[in-house]
Every structure is written in C-alpha cells, then in structure tokens.
Amino acid sequence: MCRNIRPLFNFEPPATEAEVRASALQFVRKVSGFAKPSQANAEAFERAVDEVAEAARNLISSLHSAVPPRDRETEAQKARERSRLRFG
C-alpha cells in the first residue's frame, strides 16, 4: 500500500488536493489496517484522513527548496524505466 504514496513536494505543477488526500488515505489505510472501515469506524477513519491531509498540506506549504521544481512527466518516465529494468 505505501508504494502508492508519492512525493508531493517541489513539483511543477504543485500537488493537487486530490493527490494530498490520496496520500493521506493510503497512510491511514496502512496504519489502521483497514482498506475500508466498518460503519462503526468510518467516522474516525475519515477524521484521521482529514487530519493527515491537513498535516501534509501544512508541511508541503512550509518547505523550501533551492533546486528548481521537478517535472512530473520526467519523474514518471524515470520511474517507468526503473520498473522496466527491475521487473523486465
């Protein structure tokens, strides 16, 4: 599951709200052990996703970098090449 959490800082264009929320959801799923919580745990699960997403947004907005932003397509191409070399 954690492989789906991608770096979100220093990209052009910046991370979207959907990307931040997807990463928060993956993190909460991993920590809780639930892919989909029961009705009894749904409220706590959603609250945790909201809180983690807010923390991630705060972190991303407060970080600074001296290097130019990375290009998403270039980084995706590098990842595909690494995967091809690793898995054939």
Side-chain angles (χ1 to χ4, degrees), residues 50-81:
D50 292 341
E51 291 171 358
V52 170
E54 180 65 25
R57 279 190 298 277
N58 290 339
L59 173 64
I60 292 167
S61 68
S62 64
L63 294 174
H64 303 282
S65 178
V67 298
R70 296 173 284 179
D71 178 76
R72 291 180 184 280
E73 186 52 42
T74 303
E75 294 300 316
Q77 183 65 28
K78 288 179 192 176
R80 285 191 292 273
E81 181 62 20

Side-chain angles (χ1 to χ4, degrees), residues 22-68:
S23 289
L25 176 61
Q26 287 297 321
F27 179 79
V28 172
R29 283 178 174 169
K30 184 67 172 185
V31 171
S32 69
F34 298 130
K36 184 175 191 305
S38 65
Q39 285 184 333
N41 294 319
E43 184 179 331
F45 188 90
E46 285 302 316
R47 186 173 54 249
V49 172
D50 292 341
E51 291 171 358
V52 170
E54 180 65 25
R57 279 190 298 277
N58 290 339
L59 173 64
I60 292 167
S61 68
S62 64
L63 294 174
H64 303 282
S65 178
V67 298

